[in-house]
Amino acid sequence: MCLGVPGRIVSTAEAGGTRMGVVDFAGIRKEICLAYVPDAREGDYVIVHVGFALTVLDEASALETLAMFRDLGILEEELGVEPEHAEA
C-alpha cells in the first residue's frame, strides 16, 4: 500500500556522511534516513515513507494516525514486519 507512517525519533547518528536515526512506530523500531529533515531531533515525530523521514509533525497528529493504522490492521504491513514482532 505504501503509506507515510508517523514515528518518534529515538536516536540520531551520522553514517557515512548521512544523517540516520532510529524511529519508533508504536513499538516497532527501524533505522531511517533523516537527511530530508535536518532540523528533526530526538523526541520529534516524523512521517516516514520507504525508509526516509519526509517531514516533522506534531505528537497529537502522529499518535492519532498510528492508532488509526493499528485499528485498520495495516501498521505492521506498512512497516514490513510480522504482527508478532510488534510490541503491544
Side-chain angles (χ1 to χ4, degrees), residues 5-69:
V5 181
R8 184 178 57 83
I9 299 172
V10 176
S11 64
T12 63
E14 291 292 322
T18 302
R19 188 160 179 260
M20 301 295 290
V22 174
V23 176
D24 184 282
F25 304 91
I28 301 167
R29 291 185 174 196
K30 298 265 189 177
E31 187 173 37
I32 301 297
C33 179
L34 301 175
Y36 298 132
V37 287
D39 295 331
R41 301 288 172 247
E42 290 180 19
D44 286 347
Y45 283 84
V46 290
I47 294 287
V48 175
H49 180 65
V50 294
F52 293 87
L54 301 176
T55 189
V56 177
L57 77 158
D58 64 277
E59 181 178 13
S61 295
L63 296 177
E64 181 180 347
T65 302
L66 283 169
M68 183 175 28
F69 281 12

